[in-house]
Amino acid sequence: PTHRTTSDSLAYVIFTSGSSGQPKGVAVEHRQVLNYVYGISDRLSLPDGATYATVSTLAADLGNTAVFPALCGGGCLHVLSGDRLADPQAFAEYCTSHRIDCLKMTPSHLAALVADEDSAQFPRCRHLILGGESLGWELIRKIRHLAPDCQIWNHYGPTETTIGVLTYKVEAELTTPTV
């Protein structure tokens, strides 16, 4: 079949109120998605064929950090059910039995999954990308305790920037110098 898709062809439209509070549709072109895919894959050093898990609704762009790199790089995309995502043990067991290279979720979702210290199981993954809201040091410390080998990334970007614009590897807790 003949296709007429070009880099400036529309890939999708996503609706947001953003920081303005005014609802609007954001038109995302193919070139913007590819720029993001190449950028995030390079930043995380993820190879073609990496495995990803999406844990958010497809109606939001949060999950596109997993969806598009998996599809464009020949990777495996795990789409988990809502029931599994709400059950800390089932979620952790799934991530343990399936190799997940990249998992992106909101800090509050992860915090809810690991809230009970006695039964906290951590969803095993190589790269954990946390975005969509503020990430606090208390959660970072908890992740490091439960999964010391997991690389933690703080990801930020309003919808208008095509999924994300800043990806920071969380290395060490910043301290305030004493004077």
Side-chain angles (χ1 to χ4, degrees):
T2 304
H3 70 84
R4 292 178 178 87
T5 304
T6 64
S7 63
D8 61 344
S9 294
L10 186 65
Y12 64 89
V13 175
I14 190 161
F15 289 86
T16 180
S17 62
S19 57
S20 69
Q22 295 294 329
K24 63 183 169 208
V26 176
V28 180
E29 298 171 345
H30 281 260
R31 67 174 145 216
Q32 294 164 310
V33 173
L34 282 175
N35 184 49
Y36 177 77
V37 168
Y38 289 135
I40 195 72
S41 297
D42 182 58
R43 182 77 173 116
L44 301 178
S45 298
L46 291 170
D48 286 346
T51 58
Y52 300 80
T54 184
V55 300
S56 66
T57 175
L58 295 177
D61 64 354
L62 183 80
N64 289 347
T65 298
V67 174
F68 287 117
L71 296 176
C72 294
C76 178
L77 177 63
H78 296 261
V79 181
L80 284 75
S81 71
D83 291 341
R84 187 178 309 275
L85 297 174
D87 181 338
Q89 184 172 349
F91 184 43
E93 286 173 1
Y94 185 90
C95 291
T96 299
S97 64
H98 298 83
R99 181 180 64 92
I100 305 295
D101 292 315
C102 183
L103 170 64
K104 183 177 181 186
M105 61 193 330
T106 62
S108 59
H109 184 178
L110 181 61
L113 290 172
V114 297
D116 184 1
E117 189 69 43
D118 295 330
S119 63
Q121 293 196 33
F122 192 79
R124 300 289 177 214
C125 60
R126 187 170 150 214
H127 296 278
L128 174 63
I129 304 173
L130 296 164
E133 57 194 34
S134 179
L135 173 60
W137 287 109
E138 183 178 329
L139 181 59
I140 292 168
R141 284 190 289 272
K142 192 167 209 173
I143 296 165
R144 288 201 170 126
H145 171 73
L146 295 170
D149 295 332
C150 180
Q151 293 183 29
I152 305 166
W153 298 85
N154 190 18
H155 194 243
Y156 170 78
T159 300
E160 295 83 353
T161 63
T162 309
I163 309 164
V165 68
L166 299 173
T167 306
Y168 174 77
K169 184 176 180 183
V170 181
E171 300 277 359
E173 188 167 348
L174 299 175
T175 58
T176 306
T178 56
V179 179

